[in-house]
Amino acid sequence: MNNTEQQFLKALDDKLWKSADKLRANLDAANYKHVVLGLIFLKYVSDAFEERQEQLIELFNTDSDDNIYYLPREDFESDEEYQQAIADELEVLDYYRETNVFWVPKAARWKTLKEKAVLPVGTVLWLDEAENGVKLRSVSWLIDNALDEIEKSNAKLKGILNRISQYQLDNDKLLGLINTFSDTSFSRPVHNGEKLNLHSKDILGHVYEYFLGQFALAEGKQGGQYYTPKSIVTLIVEMLEPYSGRVYDPAMGSGGFFVSSDKFIEEHAKDQHYDAAEQKKHISVYGQESNPTTWKLAAMNMAIRGIDFNFGKKNADTFLDDQHPDLRADFVMANPPFNVKDWWSEKLAEDVRWKYGTPPKGNANFGWIQHMLHHLAPTGSMGILLANGSMSSNTNNEGEIRKRLVEEDLVECMVALPGQLFTNTQIPACIWFLTKDKSNSVVRNEKKRDRRSEFLFIDARNLGYMRDRVLRDFTSEDIAKVADTFHAWQRGEGYEDIAGFCKSVELYEIKKHDFVLTPGRYVGAAAQEDDGEPFSEKMARLTLQLSEQFAESERLEGEIKRNLGELGYELG
């Protein structure tokens, strides 16, 4: 994006968030996201619908040999009849579905919401020509009615739009949000008089992602259940490069990995000079989520971006009610909850997924790894975020499972992450990258070399910057540094070990360390720059400096004791 587009999005973020954040006084952080995201969704689908209407009006009026939409003015007896014909054509549902635009019934269009929301409660409304009059009960009822109408008209959205009447918000609060959002257009962006080359889907996608991040911050620990920091998601996607095939996330939250995969395909298409929309036809996404409201968030996240998805028939526990039992995915990516203790059921005791050993009942980490491996295609690759303990723990069979994974040559790369990356936990984390095809026996992986019995360790703990006092983040350069190192190692092109950062090792080295996979054990310490001072001289100088500091410490301690004595205090 250019600077003007970035400025526009920043101003839009600030404006919408400032308005939405006023609800915090009336609602828990966990609830008000549903109200705000529901309204943003309604505004977007209405804007996209109007944008398509404008395109159709232009097509109806354009005479050309290849324009099948053209309506000749001379075919109508009067201008009034001609305008009525255009109005009727604009209500033909197929014109919208053919371009993947959601059909928005009149009762759900933003213009209707804005007009009716200001009327007194009890006013009789005609929301659609085919309906009898109904009484306006509240603004939240009006919004819920709009959501109902959209779900009825769009099968993909059935059951995924969260109703807001349950939150019992004042009419004035909702009217304030409607007025603020009314001043924003997702389809015709202009900033400082300059028309921007941003599409409605891109703007809404950005706003949705920004709001999810802000809500996660506001909710603290609970927010992490549905939101993985964007930079971590991007890092995993950039390393795995999922531009074709089946992509699966068994702990999908709000679907961040799928969104990043979509963006990756667009960038990849741009670099390769081919059609991104055509390339996206070669990707299919599968996900699962146990939390019902988060499951809806993810489905809505896909819907607004036009991403086809299969999230199973319902929200469900991944271990106990696998919604994709026959799936074998080309790419699996996940950030499951760390160190889950209460995940076990006796139904899982002899599960086919525990090919490398039964995971401990008190920790789900190696349950997640083996579930993902079970769903991985013979040539697939996966990346999973886990707590650091997974790299070294030997309790309750974890060490044995890790040993089997290494000996079976499934582990490809381990990345140690810096602390303070997550809104919901301070537990240090790492990324496991595993694959079932290190031999490079498949044509689509022809850029990769035979990596059997080789393992890459990357220590990224010193990368990143502090976004604020509590949260660390990666820059795009940090992400590129890690991803490029991984790809160079995979392809055998320009890779070299860097002390303190990365090291390629063979199986015997991991055996020497009892199958502990902590990168710090392998990469060593970063080389120190030679400052030109001989060691003996530096040692003498530092010893003298330390002696002087001890003497100064004793002097200050004596002064403090003397001053306290003068005040009548005595130290033991």
Side-chain angles (χ1 to χ4, degrees):
M1 288 185 196
N2 60 40
N3 286 336
T4 306
E5 290 167 345
Q6 290 177 353
Q7 289 168 10
F8 165 78
L9 290 175
K10 174 71 168 62
L12 180 64
D13 290 341
D14 292 344
K15 174 185 174 182
L16 294 182
W17 180 253
K18 187 176 179 181
S19 174
D21 204 36
K22 291 176 183 175
L23 295 183
R24 268 218 273 185
N26 303 81
L27 281 176
D28 289 340
N31 290 328
Y32 80 108
K33 66 173 173 284
H34 299 299
V35 177
V36 175
L37 293 174
L39 270 174
I40 288 175
F41 181 79
L42 281 176
K43 182 66 167 73
Y44 161 71
V45 293
S46 192
D47 280 3
F49 184 83
E50 286 182 13
E51 188 175 18
R52 178 59 178 161
Q53 285 190 320
E54 289 176 7
Q55 293 170 356
L56 288 169
I57 290 169
E58 187 175 341
L59 289 168
F60 295 152
N61 285 280
T62 302
D63 185 6
S64 65
D65 293 337
D66 59 348
N67 182 13
I68 61 173
Y69 299 91
Y70 177 53
L71 290 176
R73 171 66 182 82
E74 57 270 20
D75 289 355
F76 301 88
E77 292 183 5
S78 66
D79 189 60
E80 186 177 281
E81 188 180 330
Y82 176 60
Q83 294 302 327
Q84 185 58 50
I86 287 180
D88 292 342
E89 287 293 304
L90 287 175
E91 298 300 319
V92 176
L93 186 146
D94 287 345
Y95 287 145
Y96 302 89
R97 288 189 174 164
E98 68 188 10
T99 55
N100 292 318
V101 172
F102 290 116
W103 170 258
V104 184
K106 288 183 179 179
R109 293 173 195 172
W110 195 261
K111 182 181 178 183
T112 304
L113 284 182
K114 191 177 179 186
E115 286 177 356
K116 308 302 184 187
V118 297
L119 298 175
V121 172
T123 303
V124 177
L125 306 176
W126 280 265
L127 294 171
D128 199 288
E129 290 139 355
E131 285 188 12
N132 294 316
V134 291
K135 285 187 178 181
L136 174 64
R137 300 173 205 165
S138 63
V139 177
S140 60
W141 171 84
L142 190 67
I143 294 167
D144 281 356
N145 183 69
L147 294 168
D148 286 338
E149 291 298 317
I150 287 178
E151 278 200 0
K152 287 177 190 173
S153 303
N154 300 275
K156 284 183 181 179
L157 300 176
K158 187 171 178 59
I160 71 171
L161 302 179
N162 212 48
R163 307 303 188 264
I164 70 168
S165 292
Q166 60 185 305
Y167 303 118
Q168 300 180 333
L169 278 166
D170 293 343
N171 288 341
D172 289 344
K173 289 278 191 303
L174 290 171
L175 188 57
L177 275 179
I178 289 172
N179 287 334
T180 300
F181 292 168
S182 294
D183 294 337
T184 302
S185 173
F186 288 114
S187 58
R188 295 172 292 277
V190 175
H191 186 68
N192 293 336
E194 180 182 341
K195 190 173 181 182
L196 305 181
N197 187 31
L198 289 172
H199 300 293
S200 55
K201 186 180 74 170
D202 301 322
I203 299 171
L204 178 70
H206 168 86
V207 169
Y208 195 93
E209 195 169 346
Y210 171 78
F211 269 53
L212 284 175
Q214 292 298 105
F215 287 131
L217 282 171
E219 290 179 55
K221 187 173 183 178
Q222 293 301 313
Q225 292 180 358
Y226 62 84
Y227 184 78
T228 303
K230 182 182 174 184
S231 61
I232 303 301
V233 173
T234 302
L235 174 62
I236 293 175
V237 169
E238 290 288 334
M239 292 179 76
L240 287 181
E241 299 183 304
Y243 50 78
S244 67
R246 298 170 298 272
V247 179
Y248 173 52
D249 183 348
M252 66 183 179
S254 56
F257 281 109
F258 303 131
V259 172
S260 274
S261 297
D262 193 60
K263 291 178 182 175
F264 175 81
I265 293 167
E266 289 180 357
E267 291 302 316
H268 182 75
K270 197 183 299 179
D271 292 342
Q272 301 297 320
H273 306 291
Y274 55 66
D275 189 307
E278 187 62 33
Q279 182 61 35
K280 287 180 185 181
K281 294 177 183 177
H282 301 288
I283 277 280
S284 50
V285 302
Y286 300 82
Q288 183 154 349
E289 172 60 42
S290 60
N291 184 295
T293 55
T294 304
W295 187 85
K296 289 181 179 181
L297 280 180
M300 193 159 72
N301 206 0
M302 300 303 103
I304 61 179
R305 290 175 166 85
I307 299 174
D308 250 346
F309 61 92
N310 181 343
F311 292 165
K313 295 178 181 178
K314 59 181 179 178
N315 60 288
D317 183 291
T318 299
F319 293 119
L320 296 173
D321 189 5
D322 191 347
Q323 293 288 294
H324 308 286
D326 301 320
L327 174 67
R328 296 297 177 267
D330 300 290
F331 301 97
V332 186
M333 299 176 280
N335 173 25
F338 296 166
N339 303 327
V340 177
K341 291 181 172 58
D342 56 350
W343 72 288
W344 184 259
S345 164
E346 288 309 313
K347 296 176 185 176
L348 300 173
E350 302 295 330
D351 200 289
V352 67
R353 289 170 287 186
W354 315 147
K355 186 177 177 181
Y356 306 99
T358 303
K361 296 178 181 180
N363 193 316
N365 288 343
F366 284 92
W368 286 113
I369 288 179
Q370 292 190 85
H371 172 86
M372 291 170 66
L373 281 169
H374 175 75
H375 281 290
L376 201 61
T379 58
S381 297
M382 60 178 263
I384 178 172
L385 268 161
L386 287 176
N388 274 1
S390 63
M391 298 188 289
S392 57
S393 172
N394 286 315
T395 58
N396 299 319
N397 208 34
E398 287 185 329
E400 284 302 309
I401 297 172
R402 187 172 57 250
K403 178 182 176 183
R404 286 280 307 278
L405 295 175
V406 172
E407 290 179 333
E408 297 275 346
D409 212 12
L410 294 164
V411 179
E412 182 166 28
C413 177
M414 300 295 300
V415 179
L417 298 172
Q420 296 180 265
L421 286 171
F422 301 92
T423 59
N424 64 319
T425 181
Q426 293 303 310
I427 297 174
C430 60
I431 311 173
W432 289 63
F433 288 94
L434 299 96
T435 183
K436 289 187 176 178
D437 181 31
K438 287 170 83 172
S439 66
N440 190 34
S441 59
V442 182
V443 174
R444 77 177 171 83
N445 287 335
E446 60 188 357
K447 289 184 179 178
K448 298 177 184 176
R449 63 185 178 84
D450 187 339
R451 309 172 307 287
R452 282 176 289 186
S453 295
E454 292 183 38
F455 307 81
L456 179 65
F457 290 91
I458 297 177
D459 192 340
R461 288 177 299 172
N462 293 322
L463 299 183
Y465 68 101
M466 295 303 294
R467 274 175 50 189
D468 51 41
R469 287 180 299 174
V470 294
L471 277 179
R472 180 176 287 273
D473 205 351
F474 281 148
T475 64
S476 55
E477 290 77 18
D478 294 328
I479 292 170
K481 180 177 181 179
V482 176
D484 290 349
T485 298
F486 182 50
H487 297 150
W489 175 81
Q490 284 182 317
R491 295 162 188 168
E493 299 172 356
Y495 172 82
E496 60 180 34
D497 293 339
I498 300 173
F501 178 64
C502 63
K503 177 83 180 289
S504 179
V505 308
E506 295 182 16
L507 180 59
Y508 75 89
E509 291 185 66
I510 297 179
K511 285 181 178 178
K512 279 197 318 187
H513 289 282
D514 295 323
F515 296 92
V516 169
L517 299 180
T518 307
R521 291 208 179 191
Y522 300 93
V523 302
Q528 299 295 316
E529 286 187 24
D530 185 2
D531 58 9
E533 184 178 11
F535 176 78
S536 57
E537 292 180 16
K538 180 182 289 187
M539 194 64 188
R541 176 175 59 79
L542 291 175
T543 301
L544 177 61
Q545 187 176 329
L546 184 62
S547 176
E548 290 171 350
Q549 287 173 344
F550 279 148
E552 178 65 6
S553 174
E554 286 182 22
R555 185 187 68 78
L556 290 172
E557 185 180 347
E559 274 196 35
I560 291 169
K561 285 181 178 179
R562 189 167 55 255
N563 291 336
L564 287 172
E566 291 174 1
L567 293 171
Y569 294 95
E570 186 175 337
L571 292 178

